[in-house]
């Protein structure tokens, strides 16, 4: 079961035995990989019971790329035996290689690129008939799926690509159904041999000419072969690399220093400092996503105190109610240890910034505890422009006010609990139309959930527009928890119980849905699911108001009673 086993002297491909469907999956187009603007239907969910197969594919299965919507791409299958080989090649990503990871609709036991030929017809279940139309051409989205910038090239090189079918006749299909070869038209053109011509023996125009006459190929492949005959081998870089940077990179902890009894400074350095210029610098309110711990089990978002994507500093507080993440960082992560880092991209930053240096703009920062890290860069930029700003910083004590020395003392008020001082937002925030000195007021807030809620409530009550407020929320141990509710899965009718102490995202992934997630606090939109019916208490900032009618963020939002979702 090697790769490209058929070479210059072709032999008929071996006939595959009768096989059985072990997994059947469908998926929806969703945000993907934690990269802004990137979507895919690769996250497919296991389906139980009969699923109807049409000319366009399985009912409930979506495809995002325009060529994937062709009837020639109706079904994708992948040989599950390849997963063990991938684990050996990329052991640091072993946890990613499991059935379904390549976005396949079908898995069986015996079919592979070596014993399938172009045009092979199979009976699928009792009634359906399908035909092999082409091997899969790996694209850049697989780089994001497996968080390896050369993954698509590796797949193309070793030939473990999977393949597509068109549907000749539809029918109902389910796990356990038999899959049997009923016709072989081109016994000398196994998928492995086709791939060898495509990617290895690319100048073999005699073979390309022969392939261009095989009408059982997909329209996409026939056009590729005919273009190659006229123009020569195509440039594959756009397909393999795409226009999106792979979000996760490996970083090494190079400094760990205690700043206060509860806060430590962490400095991380990129192991590969060859970072694209457009990805090197951070924008306003910068944050990163950190993945760490055994089997990369923890994913957390943290504000960046300083630096760029080559070397940056984080300030992280040890949370008394930690779900395990900050405890691991404080107690277990050592100098020299590696973590995975993804550059954060805010869904939107509506707060005004065009007149930051204007003395007629009043900037009010309301900070609680480690929320200080969210605004260090913004305050530094405003201070350099002599802007009109004031900082209100609540902490347990002055000794525990991390990074206090980074702020101008004459513009900073500290509310230390140990001194009996309390931060009263109502005494700080004026009405937005308060025209004293003709100022426009901008309000920034980051801190504990209670401080954020109080400040949001007040600015809403006073009538502040979104363009004059900015909230940074990185969650807590209770983020995404609340009143219990039920979530019914539209495609299966299955009803999941979402208890008080778990988020919908946690419950869905425990049930095997494998939803992607990134920030875990509702900032990025990666974990969005379709809301089909029911009422939801929306949290987070990634959704616009109109989106909330048909979508919800599964990491932070909660249903009321029973809701119906599609994911």
């Amino acid at each position: 079961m090697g790769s490209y086993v058929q070479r210059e002297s072709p032999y008929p491909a071996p006939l595959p035995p009768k096989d059985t469907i072990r997994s059947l999956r469908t998926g929806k187009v969703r945000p993907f990989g934690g990269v802004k603007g990137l979507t895919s239907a690769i996250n497919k969910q296991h389906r139980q019971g009969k699923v109807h197969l049409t000319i366009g594919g399985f009912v409930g299965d979506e495809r995002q790329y325009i060529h994937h919507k062709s009837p020639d791409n109706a079904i994708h299958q992948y040989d599950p035996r390849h997963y063990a080989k991938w684990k050996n090649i990329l052991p640091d990503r072993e946890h990613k290689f499991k059935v379904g990871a390549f976005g396949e609709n079908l898995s069986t036991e015996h079919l592979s690129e070596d014993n399938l030929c172009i045009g092979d017809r199979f009976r699928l279940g009792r009634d359906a008939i399908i035909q092999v139309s082409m091997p899969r051409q790996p694209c850049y989205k697989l780089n994001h799926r497996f968080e390896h910038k050369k993954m698509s090239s590796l797949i193309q090189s070793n030939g473990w690509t999977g393949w597509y079918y068109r549907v000749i006749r539809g029918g109902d299909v389910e796990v356990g159904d038999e899959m049997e070869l009923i016709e072989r038209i081109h016994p000398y053109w196994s998928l492995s041999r086709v791939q060898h011509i495509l990617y290895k023996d690319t100048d073999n125009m005699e073979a390309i000419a022969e392939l261009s006459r095989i009408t059982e190929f997909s329209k996409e492949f026939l056009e590729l072969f005919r273009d190659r005959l006229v123009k020569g081998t195509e440039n594959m870089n756009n397909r393999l690399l795409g226009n999106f940077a792979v979000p996760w990179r490996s970083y090494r902890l190079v400094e760990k220093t205690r700043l206060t009894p509860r806060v430590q400074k962490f400095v991380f350095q990129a192991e590969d400092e060859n970072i694209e210029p457009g990805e090197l610098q951070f924008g306003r309110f910068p944050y990163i996503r950190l993945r760490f711990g055994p089997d990369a089990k923890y994913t957390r978002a943290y504000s960046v105190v300083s630096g760029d994507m080559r070397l940056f500093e984080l300030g992280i507080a040890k949370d008394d109610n930690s779900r395990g993440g900050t405890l691991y960082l404080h107690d277990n992560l050592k100098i020299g240890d590696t973590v995975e880092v993804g550059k954060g991209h805010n869904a939107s930053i509506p707060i005004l910034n065009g007149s930051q240096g204007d003395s007629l703009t009043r900037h009010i920062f309301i900070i609680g505890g480690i929320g200080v890290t969210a605004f260090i860069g913004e305050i530094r930029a405003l201070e350099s422009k002599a802007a009109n700003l004031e900082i209100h910083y609540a902490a347990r004590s002055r000794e525990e006010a991390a990074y206090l020395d980074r702020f101008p003392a004459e513009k900073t008020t500290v509310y230390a609990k140990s001194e009996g001082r309390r931060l009263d937002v109502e005494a700080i925030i004026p009405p937005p139309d308060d025209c004293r000195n003709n100022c426009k007021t901008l309000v920034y807030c980051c801190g504990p959930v209670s401080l954020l809620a109080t400040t949001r409530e007040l600015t809403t009550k006073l009538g502040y527009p979104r363009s004059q407020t900015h909230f940074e929320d990185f969650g807590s141990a209770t983020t995404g928890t609340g009143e219990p509710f039920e979530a019914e899965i539209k495609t299966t009718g299955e009803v999941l119980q979402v208890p008080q102490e778990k988020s919908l995202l946690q419950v869905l992934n425990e049930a095997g849905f494998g939803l992607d997630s990134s920030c875990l606090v509702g900032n990025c939109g990666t974990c969005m699911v379709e809301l089909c019916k029911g009422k939801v208490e929306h949290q987070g900032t990634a959704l616009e108001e109109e989106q909330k009618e048909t979508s919800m963020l599964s990491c932070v939002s909660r249903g009321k009673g029973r809701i119906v979702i599609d994911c």
Side-chain angles (χ1 to χ4, degrees):
M1 191 183 60
S3 333
Y4 305 137
V5 293
Q6 326 283 325
R7 304 294 185 184
E8 288 301 317
S9 301
Y11 296 93
L15 293 171
K18 185 183 293 186
D19 216 337
T20 303
I21 299 173
R22 296 303 183 195
S23 175
L24 194 163
R25 295 170 175 269
T26 63
K28 300 283 187 181
V29 175
R30 301 170 38 78
F32 171 65
V35 181
K36 188 176 182 180
L38 191 61
T39 59
S40 174
I42 197 170
N43 284 325
K44 300 189 186 300
Q45 312 306 322
H46 187 67
R47 297 287 298 272
Q48 294 286 357
K50 295 184 183 298
V51 182
H52 193 61
L53 178 63
T54 70
I55 297 299
F58 288 107
V59 171
D61 192 46
E62 296 181 353
R63 282 162 281 169
Q64 193 258 341
Y65 180 48
I66 187 167
H67 289 299
H68 291 175
K69 296 179 181 179
S70 163
D72 292 334
N73 302 63
I75 302 171
H76 178 238
Q77 182 168 350
Y78 195 76
D79 184 353
R81 293 170 291 183
H82 293 333
Y83 286 114
K85 295 180 283 186
W86 281 119
K87 290 177 182 179
N88 288 331
I89 293 173
L90 298 171
D92 58 328
R93 286 163 175 77
E94 180 177 358
H95 59 288
K96 294 186 174 297
F97 295 116
K98 54 188 177 182
V99 172
F102 277 81
E104 62 265 33
N105 298 109
L106 295 179
S107 293
T108 62
E109 294 182 353
H110 304 297
L111 300 181
S112 74
E113 293 84 353
D114 294 340
N115 62 20
L116 287 177
C117 295
I118 290 299
D120 280 358
R121 290 194 178 207
F122 285 83
R123 179 176 288 107
L124 187 61
R126 189 181 68 178
D127 300 316
I129 295 176
I130 60 177
Q131 183 178 48
V132 176
S133 59
M134 60 178 164
R136 179 182 188 165
Q137 281 204 292
C139 76
Y140 66 91
K141 290 188 179 180
L142 292 168
N143 301 339
H144 297 272
R145 176 64 160 173
F146 298 102
E147 293 156 10
H148 189 290
K149 63 183 179 182
K150 296 183 178 179
M151 187 66 187
S152 58
S153 298
L154 279 174
I155 296 166
Q156 180 168 293
S157 176
N158 60 34
W160 305 331
T161 63
W163 55 92
Y164 286 104
Y165 300 95
R166 64 173 59 89
V167 178
I168 306 300
R169 185 173 73 202
D172 290 334
V173 181
E174 64 182 322
V175 172
D177 280 351
E178 290 186 343
M179 189 168 177
E180 182 178 12
L181 180 68
I182 57 175
E183 183 181 16
R184 172 155 286 180
I185 305 170
H186 302 287
Y188 291 94
W189 281 111
S190 70
L191 297 182
S192 293
R193 186 175 175 226
V194 171
Q195 289 175 327
H196 178 71
I197 299 299
L198 274 173
Y199 308 128
K200 303 289 185 179
D201 193 10
T202 56
D203 294 330
N204 189 338
M205 292 304 162
E206 182 181 349
I208 293 293
E210 183 178 343
L211 291 172
S212 71
R213 295 189 292 270
I214 297 178
T215 58
E216 288 77 17
F217 269 116
S218 67
K219 180 181 177 182
E220 178 186 349
F221 264 58
L222 288 174
E223 289 178 353
L224 184 156
F225 294 138
R226 290 162 187 168
D227 282 349
R228 191 176 285 190
L229 285 172
V230 175
K231 304 174 184 177
T233 303
E234 67 281 0
N235 187 329
M236 303 179 193
N237 285 339
N238 190 51
R239 169 173 58 81
L240 293 171
L241 302 178
N243 297 316
F244 296 89
V246 175
W248 293 99
R249 297 177 180 272
S250 182
Y251 283 72
R252 190 171 300 278
L253 181 65
V254 295
E255 182 184 342
K256 184 177 181 181
T257 306
R258 186 166 298 282
L259 302 179
T260 75
R262 297 176 60 251
V263 177
Q264 291 198 71
K265 168 184 174 181
F266 294 78
V267 178
F268 293 96
Q269 184 171 21
E271 294 211 287
D272 178 3
E273 296 191 359
N274 184 25
I275 297 172
E276 298 83 355
E279 285 294 305
L280 181 60
Q281 301 299 327
F282 293 110
R284 293 180 78 195
F285 313 111
Y287 75 94
I288 55 88
R289 293 164 287 143
L290 199 65
R291 191 157 57 194
F292 55 95
D295 297 324
K297 66 183 290 187
Y298 300 115
T299 303
R300 300 290 185 268
Y302 295 105
S303 290
V304 176
V305 172
S306 62
D308 57 30
M309 285 296 289
R310 290 198 188 103
L311 183 79
F312 60 82
E313 174 187 346
L314 306 180
I316 301 174
K318 192 171 186 178
D319 188 347
D320 295 334
N321 299 307
S322 173
R323 292 169 286 177
T326 63
L327 290 178
Y328 185 91
L329 291 173
H330 276 257
D331 298 341
N332 299 97
L333 196 69
K334 299 177 179 63
I335 299 295
D337 286 351
T338 57
V339 299
E340 291 179 308
V341 173
K343 186 179 182 182
H345 297 276
N346 288 305
S348 62
I349 302 179
I351 195 166
L352 298 172
N353 69 347
S355 57
Q356 281 191 346
D358 188 341
S359 62
L360 296 182
T361 302
R362 181 185 180 191
H363 303 265
I364 299 177
F365 290 87
I366 298 172
I367 297 168
I370 197 59
V372 65
T373 59
F375 298 133
I376 290 174
E378 187 78 359
I379 290 171
R380 183 169 57 242
L382 290 170
E383 180 70 359
S384 70
K385 298 176 181 179
N388 178 2
L389 66 94
E390 55 191 76
I391 303 160
H392 300 271
Y393 187 173
R396 295 184 180 187
S397 66
R398 287 182 178 270
E399 292 71 30
E400 294 200 47
Y403 296 106
L404 182 59
D405 58 347
R406 302 281 182 102
F407 298 149
E410 70 280 6
K411 297 179 180 179
T412 304
T413 304
V414 178
Y415 302 82
K417 187 176 180 181
S418 63
E419 298 171 4
R421 298 198 65 186
R422 177 178 173 273
L423 192 159
D424 181 3
V425 294
E426 290 191 6
I428 295 169
I429 302 175
D433 56 356
D434 186 337
C435 294
R436 286 175 297 173
N437 301 320
N438 295 315
C439 276
K440 173 176 285 184
T441 300
L442 306 185
V443 177
Y444 311 73
C445 181
C446 186
V449 173
S450 57
L451 180 62
L452 286 162
T454 301
T455 307
R456 274 197 181 102
E457 239 175 74
L458 180 59
T459 53
T460 300
K461 179 181 175 182
L462 292 173
Y464 273 80
R466 286 190 72 191
S467 60
Q468 286 179 238
T469 62
H470 183 76
F471 297 90
E472 288 283 326
D473 185 353
F474 292 96
S476 69
T478 60
T479 299
T481 63
E483 290 299 314
F485 66 99
E486 295 179 334
E488 179 181 334
I489 309 303
K490 180 183 177 182
T491 52
T492 65
E494 180 183 6
V495 177
L496 301 176
Q497 302 296 323
V498 185
Q500 180 177 359
E501 70 278 7
K502 291 185 179 181
S503 67
L504 174 59
L505 175 65
Q506 286 175 283
V507 170
L508 288 170
N509 283 340
E510 287 172 3
F513 283 85
L515 288 186
D516 262 6
S517 60
S518 178
C519 72
L520 298 178
V521 291
N523 289 340
C524 69
T526 304
C527 68
M528 180 177 65
V529 297
E530 183 180 342
L531 176 63
C532 305
K533 186 179 179 181
K535 295 182 178 180
V536 168
E537 184 179 339
H538 289 283
Q539 302 291 338
T541 60
L543 298 183
E544 299 294 338
E545 287 304 313
E546 60 269 21
Q547 289 180 290
K548 292 178 181 179
E549 296 179 9
T550 57
S551 304
M552 68 181 292
L553 303 173
S554 62
C555 67
V556 291
S557 299
R558 298 187 72 80
K560 297 180 179 180
R562 176 179 289 194
I563 60 173
V564 180
I565 61 173
D566 198 354
C567 53

